[in-house]
Amino acid sequence: MTPPNDRTDPTDPTDRTDRTDRDAGTDSTGQTVHRNEPPALPPLHGLRVLDLATLFAGPLAAMMLGDFGADVIKIEHPRKPDPSRGHGPAKDGIGLWWKVLGRNKRTMTLDLSTPGGRDTLLRMAAEADVIVENFRPGTLERWGLGWEELSTVNPRLVLARVTGFGQFGPYSHRPGFGTLAEAMSGFAAITGEPDGPPTLPPFGLADSIAALATAYAVMTALTARTTTGHGQVVDMAIVEPMLSVIGPHPLWYDQLGYVQPRTGNRSRNNAPRNTYRTSDDAWVAVSTSAQSIAERVLRLVGRPELIDEPWFADGAGRAAHADVLDEAVGTWIARHTRDEAMAAFEKAEAAIAPVYDVRDVLADPQFRALDTVTEVPDPELGPIRMQNVLFRLSETPGAIRWAGRPHGADTADVLAELGLSPAEIGALRGEGAV
């Protein structure tokens, strides 16, 4: 768990270890044979990230960077651990969500509001590449840790600031959570049944999307650093990525005055598109975004005459007759088990998927083949299973090196690496800074 000693800049092509194999030859078939080639380093090896954020977008973005080799140091308050440690179910008093969110991070404690905590963070910032924080705007500045101070000690630093509504504007000082972003982005208004209330997702959708956007923004800023020579501030408002993923709704309203209503599982752009119950009380989802798929589905369910209807020729026409199409598809599926429906649709080359719960996900052979949910050894809980890294790289893959560690487990090691003596560390403890 010790971070790399070399502090190369992984975003600078001139600041890399030359791993070219100079001792290559060919075998009897003419194929190149590499001899004594060292294993490739993970793509973010040498990148140091200080994670000051809590619940959930900022820490998740830092986790994504850690998955691909960044040395992520999770900094928590000495007496107020990250709330995600107690969020959701626990086993033997150990929060399970934290095991995922805190993976590939070293953990230390630091009270940034104390003089010792401030000075220590500035020393750490001088050697860091990225800081991720989600305090309300003005909090870091109040502690003497704003962009002016941080960029002074490290002009190459990237500061990612993740808040509900951004660093300025009339809502900037409001507390911001993913639920509010899901409501204010327009997502909840279009989600749910037509005669039902706006519907919120039962998981952190907005936070997860903002985390992906934050990781992307950080890498963009680091890439810019290779040409400008200096870092910058990332201002991430959780509501904005959520607004981006709902699609062209602002443009539709701007040009047509169109406001999309709630349509349940149906689409305004094509049909049949819904979930359907099978004879063995399971559910399947059917999509017919392509005209050819829609025609295959109707032939399969024994209603080929509908294909000849003038309205069947495009997605909008089919969507306007969704009642007819849902009845045709739903009636056929209701007479078959899930396995029978899946087999028939696959044979017909029509698009169908089972509606899974987590038990199905863990048992599915495709997910097993991809190792989508992987097993991680953990000293507290033993072998545990969690989602693997987001994507596979053929040359420099990411990895889960360890699950979330106990509160402050690496404080002494991190401070010692920073050059603090035992006496200085003891003084910080006496002040309550760590």
Side-chain angles (χ1 to χ4, degrees), residues 3 47-53 62 70-76 104-109 124 128 130 132 410-411 414-415 417:
L47 191 77
R48 179 160 293 172
V49 179
L50 306 183
D51 176 8
L52 313 184
D71 175 26
V72 180
I73 301 174
K74 173 69 177 181
I75 298 176
E76 300 172 79
N104 292 334
K105 300 179 184 180
R106 297 193 291 160
T107 62
M108 71 170 292
T109 60
M124 296 178 71
V130 180
V132 181
D410 304 291
T411 300
V414 172
L415 294 177
E417 291 169 11

Side-chain angles (χ1 to χ4, degrees), residues 117-141:
R118 173 191 181 274
D119 293 344
T120 302
L121 186 74
L122 287 174
R123 290 179 66 169
M124 296 178 71
E127 298 183 3
D129 298 285
V130 180
I131 292 179
V132 181
E133 64 98 359
N134 70 335
F135 298 106
R136 289 197 201 183
T139 301
L140 284 184
E141 285 76 6

Side-chain angles (χ1 to χ4, degrees), residues 305-324:
E305 75 280 1
L306 294 176
I307 299 173
D308 297 327
E309 294 287 347
W311 49 261
F312 197 90
D314 60 56
R318 297 197 310 275
H321 294 79
D323 287 343
V324 174

Side-chain angles (χ1 to χ4, degrees), residues 24-89:
T26 57
D27 63 15
S28 59
T29 66
Q31 296 291 319
T32 300
V33 177
H34 298 278
R35 305 184 183 92
N36 303 319
E37 184 175 10
L41 295 171
L44 300 185
H45 172 78
L47 191 77
R48 179 160 293 172
V49 179
L50 306 183
D51 176 8
L52 313 184
T54 60
L55 289 179
F56 281 101
L60 186 57
M63 183 208 81
M64 293 172 185
L65 300 175
D67 283 352
F68 286 88
D71 175 26
V72 180
I73 301 174
K74 173 69 177 181
I75 298 176
E76 300 172 79
H77 192 282
R79 293 162 295 281
K80 300 174 185 177
D82 188 321
S84 66
R85 290 182 179 273
H87 210 82

Side-chain angles (χ1 to χ4, degrees), residues 216-394:
Y216 166 55
V218 165
M219 297 311 300
T220 301
L222 290 171
T223 301
R225 187 175 74 173
T226 65
T227 55
T228 66
H230 55 79
Q232 58 186 298
V233 175
V234 171
D235 181 3
M236 177 61 64
I238 295 174
V239 69
E240 290 182 308
M242 195 68 200
L243 181 60
S244 294
V245 300
I246 67 170
H249 292 194
L251 180 59
W252 286 345
Y253 179 73
D254 175 65
Q255 295 297 303
L256 303 172
Y258 174 71
V259 178
Q260 178 171 319
R262 288 187 290 281
T263 58
N265 290 327
R266 290 179 173 177
S267 168
R268 302 281 291 188
N269 303 310
N270 65 81
R273 190 261 196 186
N274 214 325
T275 58
Y276 306 92
R277 191 191 297 268
T278 63
S279 65
D280 55 347
D281 205 30
W283 290 86
V284 294
V286 172
S287 175
T288 56
S289 296
Q291 181 71 21
S292 60
I293 299 294
E295 294 175 5
R296 291 172 193 167
V297 169
L298 271 294
R299 292 191 185 98
L300 170 63
V301 302
R303 299 295 300 275
E305 75 280 1
L306 294 176
I307 299 173
D308 297 327
E309 294 287 347
W311 49 261
F312 197 90
D314 60 56
R318 297 197 310 275
H321 294 79
D323 287 343
V324 174
L325 297 173
D326 273 345
E327 188 277 332
V329 176
T331 299
W332 184 92
I333 288 177
R335 297 196 302 265
H336 296 80
T337 67
R338 185 177 79 173
D339 288 346
E340 290 170 345
M342 293 288 300
F345 268 70
E346 289 178 12
K347 183 177 180 180
E349 297 184 352
I352 190 171
V355 176
Y356 277 173
D357 64 22
V358 67
R359 294 167 295 185
D360 301 307
V361 170
L362 293 177
D364 184 87
Q366 180 63 28
F367 290 143
R368 285 179 177 269
L370 296 175
D371 199 27
T372 303
V373 178
T374 194
E375 187 172 277
V376 179
D378 182 71
E380 293 183 291
L381 297 175
I384 58 178
R385 287 188 288 180
M386 65 178 66
Q387 301 94 322
N388 211 334
V389 299
L390 278 174
F391 47 86
R392 286 164 290 280
L393 296 179
S394 62

